[in-house]
Amino acid sequence: MSDINAPSQKVFVLDFGAQYGQLIARRVRDLGVYSEIVPCDITADELKEKNPSAIILSGGPASVYAEGAPDIDPEILNLGVPVLGFCYGQQIMAKTLGGTVSHVDEGEYGRATLHRKGQSRILDGTPETQTVWMSHRDAVTEAPEGFTVTGSTDICPVASMEDASRNLYATQFHPEVHHTEYGETILRNFLFKISGLEANWSMEDFIDRTVEDIRKKVGNDRVILALSGGVDSSVVAALFSRAIGKQVTCVFVNHGLLRKNEPEEVEHVFTKVFDVDFVHVHAEQRYLDLLRGVTEPEKKRQLIGTEFWKVFFEEAQKLDGVKYLAQGTIYPDIIESGARKTGSKSSKIKSHHNLIPFPEGVHFDLIEPLDHLFKDEVRELGTKLGLPSNIVYRQPFPGPGLAIRIIGEVTADKLRMLRDADAIVREEIDAYNEKLYKETGVRDSEHSVWQYFAVLPSIRSVGVMGDERTYAHPIIVRAVESRDAMTADWAKLPYEVLSKISSRIVDEVPGVNRVAYDITSKPPATIEWE
Ligand code: XMP
């Protein structure tokens, strides 16, 4: 939806496979300038069409002379738009313009000391000697004609260079990482002093612009939205409520696999707080029938996903005059699915567009207003729109819900036990996280437990309660520390927190007589049990 959210200034980050690619775009946005990532094989003509205000060439793992190493359309450096290259970005600039890139004897990884030389527009306002963050093996050993070398380290002769007359700047080090002491000054110099941009990208502007664009695009038509109760779809619903009120129908498919009180909260928010046309589809029994006898995890996932769209489209077809389907696709989904907007050759994975299983003869045009926002920007947007914090800061929750936290067959009774036990786990660890927050003053993944929940395996064990022998289910508590779910470590919860969780679960949840704590990291385990 390129016609929604088109800010007046845009900085494009050409991605050469950087470890820090998303980080560069984030830093630029943090400084108040809108930024997007595009694949490095974009042509100068394609880029020109996007009307860039400034261009950043990211780092990358390759060696510029290696076979198949990513290259750049040389005309990009002649567009008359300021360009800043980092690491591989500096090397590709040097190679393209006739400088020399060599394999140096010693790689440089981590902290290094930069010694400035002479005047520099990009290093303006930074001291003669400063700490920078390096991560390279190759280096520019001779700057291209017209360039001045503005800094070096003991290992790297050209640690920064510039040709101010052509508005080309580059550093071997990474200004986007926090360890580079004056990284922010360097980025500010590039954006504001050199490129003449204004800091005008803010969530308030985003809301105003997006609301106006949605109104213009939708006119008098109707929009439908599948509301899952998750952060992204809830934020989209709040945004459409602001833009077109009851012209949007939010279909909430209640599959009965959400956590305790979640369906009630979703219904409350979208009937009492936001003005939308809200449809609560009670599909709980339908899902129980569907999942009867199913024990294989992937089969559960597939059945739940397919049924979701079936139920949704059954509702959608009951409504007249719906032209658009709104979706909460966010920027990392787009980046991970291969930059569909630039039509990059490297795009291998199908975009979200192709994943919606429209029934025969049914089609809606998609509107994806969050498709250029990072997750924390989506949360900020949700907060600004007035969504409650328990929705905006909801911990990650899998689409198939509690069904993949019941190991084996899903039944109504097991769902009841798991839901009640899970509510206790969350209450107690929420309280623990609050305590950590009070002690540290920081609320982030390093200072709080990241994801925590209960799991119910389909086994029973012997216990004793009062004078009676019991033969009942155990609950497994899973609580992990992580940044991005790719790797995770089990949370070292204090014994008193674990002890309280354990006694509350066996006291308060009939059918459970034992509690275990999962002390496995990922890898080798996964966060979920199925
Ligand atoms: P694993 O279990 O693979 O989980 O370590 C990593 C993260 O992904 C979430 N997860 C899912 N999310 N549909 C989702 O939307 C799924 O089928 C699914 N499986 C796992 C999990 O909660 C964790 O945050």
Side-chain angles (χ1 to χ4, degrees), residues 87 98 195 343 406:
C87 193
S195 310
I406 291 174

mmCIF file of all heavy atoms in Angstrom, residues 87 98 195 343 406:
data_model
loop_
_atom_site.group_PDB
_atom_site.id
_atom_site.type_symbol
_atom_site.label_atom_id
_atom_site.label_comp_id
_atom_site.label_asym_id
_atom_site.label_seq_id
_atom_site.Cartn_x
_atom_site.Cartn_y
_atom_site.Cartn_z
ATOM 1 N N CYS A 87 31.079 0.330 6.578
ATOM 2 C CA CYS A 87 31.697 -0.983 6.470
ATOM 3 C C CYS A 87 31.689 -1.462 5.011
ATOM 4 O O CYS A 87 32.333 -0.850 4.172
ATOM 5 C CB CYS A 87 30.988 -1.950 7.431
ATOM 6 S SG CYS A 87 31.882 -3.473 7.665
ATOM 7 N N GLY A 98 36.857 3.619 -7.991
ATOM 8 C CA GLY A 98 38.263 3.506 -8.392
ATOM 9 C C GLY A 98 39.258 3.479 -7.248
ATOM 10 O O GLY A 98 40.464 3.603 -7.482
ATOM 11 N N SER A 195 22.423 16.602 4.675
ATOM 12 C CA SER A 195 21.278 16.370 3.786
ATOM 13 C C SER A 195 20.176 17.415 3.978
ATOM 14 O O SER A 195 19.197 17.426 3.225
ATOM 15 C CB SER A 195 20.703 14.967 4.022
ATOM 16 O OG SER A 195 21.736 14.002 3.978
ATOM 17 N N GLY A 343 10.463 -5.571 -5.754
ATOM 18 C CA GLY A 343 10.517 -6.648 -6.730
ATOM 19 C C GLY A 343 11.913 -7.225 -6.799
ATOM 20 O O GLY A 343 12.407 -7.582 -7.858
ATOM 21 N N ILE A 406 -1.354 -27.735 25.076
ATOM 22 C CA ILE A 406 -1.884 -28.993 25.605
ATOM 23 C C ILE A 406 -1.209 -30.068 24.767
ATOM 24 O O ILE A 406 -1.390 -30.119 23.553
ATOM 25 C CB ILE A 406 -3.420 -29.061 25.438
ATOM 26 C CG1 ILE A 406 -4.071 -28.048 26.377
ATOM 27 C CG2 ILE A 406 -3.933 -30.482 25.684
ATOM 28 C CD1 ILE A 406 -5.571 -27.909 26.205
#
